[in-house]
Amino acid sequence: MHIQPEPEPGVQPIQIRVSGRYLLPGGAEHVCETRSLSLATIEVLAPEAGLPGDFVTLYLDDVGPVAGAIRTISADGFTLAVEVGPERRARFAARLDWLAGQARGQADQRSDPRIVPNVRAVEIRRADGRVVPGMVIDLSMTGAAIAATEVPPVGEAVTVGKRRATVVRHIENGFAATFRLPFRPETFGQHIVL
């Protein structure tokens, strides 16, 4: 009996639409959307492709910055050959694994272990730059529930403490936000200060 080894997270491309923007050489910035993502390549739907070999930085929602060189050009975009260092690669693989779970319908992140950190007070920086006080209700590796008197609208990009996040729903007396980059298991614990 032959057993297939488990592939490294993020190696198999996932077909998923992730919005973002990208920066071409020379400084031109455009909005984009992914068609597929893997640790090696990203298929990008884009209005302007650049040239093969051009170095491009993608800023993808729920993923963060990813850099690489344009490998091929298509009528509606390009394929990026991803270039990430070892430390960033592990975080990128974890993020791709999470996105694959989202694509399979595992949308409820409440299944993640949740903790109440020792330091609960936190500042929330709104998209317009205003800073409002908040209190961490609970925290997981991928997001947090925050009590706040001023509740940002769903979809707003905020910074919770030092972590960039997106408001995903409103709760009684506050909101829930998903972090752009999840915590690594080895750094996650009640000692965390956001």
Side-chain angles (χ1 to χ4, degrees), residues 84-98:
V84 289
E87 184 180 312
R88 175 78 174 109
R89 182 180 175 88
R91 288 197 308 265
F92 188 36
R95 204 65 198 150
L96 290 178
D97 201 36
W98 180 83

Side-chain angles (χ1 to χ4, degrees), residues 41-163:
T41 60
I42 300 175
E43 283 187 73
V44 182
L45 298 169
E48 189 177 319
L51 301 170
D54 278 354
F55 193 78
V56 174
T57 303
L58 294 174
Y59 299 93
L60 299 174
D61 297 347
D62 299 323
V63 176
V66 182
I70 294 176
R71 178 184 285 171
T72 58
I73 295 173
S74 64
D76 59 357
F78 57 91
T79 300
L80 186 77
V82 176
E83 298 176 16
V84 289
E87 184 180 312
R88 175 78 174 109
R89 182 180 175 88
R91 288 197 308 265
F92 188 36
R95 204 65 198 150
L96 290 178
D97 201 36
W98 180 83
L99 284 169
Q102 296 290 296
R104 290 190 304 268
Q106 299 171 353
D108 185 5
Q109 292 300 301
R110 297 293 298 188
S111 61
D112 284 347
R114 299 187 89 72
I115 62 167
V116 177
N118 296 332
V119 177
R120 295 181 56 208
V122 69
E123 288 186 340
I124 298 102
R125 183 173 301 277
R126 300 280 311 270
D128 63 8
R130 286 182 297 129
V131 177
V132 295
M135 187 71 63
V136 177
I137 298 169
D138 61 22
L139 177 68
S140 76
M141 287 191 287
T142 57
I146 308 290
T149 54
E150 186 177 318
V151 179
V154 171
E156 182 173 318
V158 295
T159 303
V160 179
K162 295 178 184 168
R163 296 199 71 89

